[in-house]
Amino acid sequence: MKTVSLVLGSGGARGLAHIGVIHRLEENDFRIQSIAGSSIGVLIRGILPAFDRASEMIELGYRKAGEFLAQARQIKKA
């Protein structure tokens, strides 16, 4: 197994890109040895251990986005 160290940057939208990169690394049998980051990069680094794989973070994001959109539709109808 290959190892890699990551440095994750700032910028809210980049957080989603960070998760995607981590997901691809996992798919290609890379083991993340260490992670450093700033702003959203630190947040991603902090929550990553709560999940077995990055794909779980992606699934959670889609689920929460769907819930948010459903609530927004209900508010708009009211």
Side-chain angles (χ1 to χ4, degrees):
M1 182 175 275
K2 300 167 267 188
T3 61
V4 64
S5 294
L6 300 177
V7 178
L8 307 177
S10 60
R14 282 194 191 136
L16 298 176
H18 294 332
I19 296 168
V21 168
I22 293 168
H23 176 62
R24 290 292 181 210
L25 288 169
E26 290 173 349
E27 286 184 332
N28 288 289
D29 297 321
F30 280 85
R31 184 177 67 81
I32 299 171
Q33 183 173 324
S34 61
I35 302 176
S38 64
S39 190
I40 193 68
V42 172
L43 181 62
I44 298 302
R45 180 194 178 279
I47 64 171
L48 187 60
F51 298 89
D52 289 328
R53 302 197 47 86
S55 60
E56 292 178 0
M57 281 195 286
I58 294 168
E59 291 170 17
L60 177 64
Y62 279 125
R63 218 172 27 250
K64 291 299 179 185
E67 291 171 12
F68 174 78
L69 290 173
Q71 289 174 351
R73 286 187 191 114
Q74 290 299 324
I75 292 169
K76 188 175 180 181
K77 287 180 183 179

